Amino acid sequence: DIQMTQSPASLSASLGETVTIQCRASEDIYSGLAWYQQKPGKSPQLLIYGASSLQDGVPSRFSGSGSGTQYSLKISSMQTEDEGVYFCQQGLKYPFTFGSGTKLEIK
Amino acid sequence: EVQLVESGGGLVQPGRSMKLSCAASGFTFNNYDMAWVCQAPKKGLEWVATISYDGSSTYYRDSVKGRFTISRDNAKSTLYLQMDSLRSEDTATYYCARERYPGITSHFDYWGQGVMVTVSS
């Protein structure tokens, strides 16, 4: 199985700050990387797919980058509504696997 | 508007069975692969199973192979997950998700609200 290692496990950011979350795959996943945001008691919401494509309706302050085994999600200007848990997911091979999550809070 | 509404969860004893349903609307159901993803309490996400748009192909994580069966009724726009021989470690919220495959990789673009399954005596 492809292992997804996500970091950091948690972080806090001030309003307007730029935030970066990392995800590393145990093998090349050819940009088959998606990012999701989950708020308490809610289902995950797709933010980014194909490593860098922004899902319709997602604010442009979210961006994704990376290739091979290393990927990142950037929030360019932290907003209150961005609090939540962020997960990465590889979609190259079954079983699809997720990172362990990054809890993002407002400082 | 795409909607996925799960039902059928609850409390079940170890070794017993339970069937989840997911009613889809707002899109052409038989054009899309569908999946179940679970999340144990306070834990991360785990992909469970995927079924192709026409039901001809199914894929499972190892821990549920031989115990869970994913199926669909395209005439009813409904996805199912039959869970047999349930174990305490199957306790989780189960999400129905629409799977997209733009190229060689997949992601989940719409998710249901989730249904809780608790396996306990």
Side-chain angles (χ1 to χ4, degrees):
Chain A
D1 298 0
I2 297 175
Q3 306 302 314
M4 305 301 293
T5 303
Q6 198 173 330
S7 62
S10 64
L11 76 159
S12 59
S14 302
L15 287 175
E17 185 177 341
T18 294
V19 172
T20 301
I21 299 169
Q22 309 282 350
C23 189
R24 185 181 78 247
S26 59
E27 62 184 82
D28 192 334
I29 57 171
Y30 300 95
S31 296
L33 194 284
W35 290 98
Y36 303 87
Q37 176 196 63
Q38 187 176 33
K39 297 188 178 181
K42 300 292 187 182
S43 56
Q45 301 291 309
L46 177 67
L47 300 173
I48 301 284
Y49 63 93
S52 59
S53 296
L54 191 68
Q55 172 69 354
D56 289 347
V58 175
S60 59
R61 63 179 179 274
F62 291 91
S63 63
S65 63
S67 61
T69 62
Q70 301 277 359
Y71 299 88
S72 62
L73 172 71
K74 186 170 81 171
I75 307 173
S76 60
S77 177
M78 178 75 181
Q79 303 297 308
T80 304
E81 60 266 31
D82 299 337
E83 281 193 309
V85 180
Y86 292 79
F87 296 94
C88 60
Q89 173 243 327
Q90 68 81 15
L92 179 67
K93 293 182 184 177
Y94 292 116
F96 298 146
T97 45
F98 293 83
S100 54
T102 295
K103 186 174 183 179
L104 176 60
E105 296 176 321
I106 287 284
K107 192 181 294 183
Chain B
E1 178 194 6
V2 172
Q3 285 199 315
L4 299 170
V5 180
E6 301 96 336
S7 60
L11 175 64
V12 61
Q13 293 180 328
R16 303 296 291 265
S17 298
M18 178 172 278
K19 188 172 185 176
L20 305 181
S21 299
C22 171
S25 61
F27 65 102
T28 304
F29 184 69
N30 58 14
N31 282 355
Y32 293 87
D33 293 359
M34 296 295 296
W36 290 97
V37 177
C38 72
Q39 185 170 34
K42 305 294 186 185
K43 299 291 186 181
L45 298 164
E46 277 194 344
W47 169 81
V48 176
T50 288
I51 186 167
S52 62
Y53 67 99
D54 60 356
S56 63
S57 298
T58 56
Y59 309 88
Y60 299 91
R61 65 179 301 107
D62 284 349
S63 62
V64 307
K65 275 181 190 173
R67 299 190 300 122
F68 289 13
T69 303
I70 188 171
S71 62
R72 63 192 297 161
D73 184 336
N74 283 345
K76 295 182 178 179
S77 296
T78 302
L79 176 72
Y80 302 101
L81 185 66
Q82 176 68 44
M83 303 184 292
D84 298 324
S85 303
L86 281 160
R87 306 167 179 167
S88 58
E89 55 264 36
D90 297 321
T91 293
T93 295
Y94 286 77
Y95 296 100
C96 160
R98 190 175 82 170
E99 190 171 321
R100 295 303 307 278
Y101 189 75
I104 64 167
T105 65
S106 295
H107 59 272
F108 307 107
D109 64 347
Y110 287 95
W111 299 61
Q113 85 285 356
V115 63
M116 184 69 199
V117 173
T118 302
V119 184
S120 174
S121 54

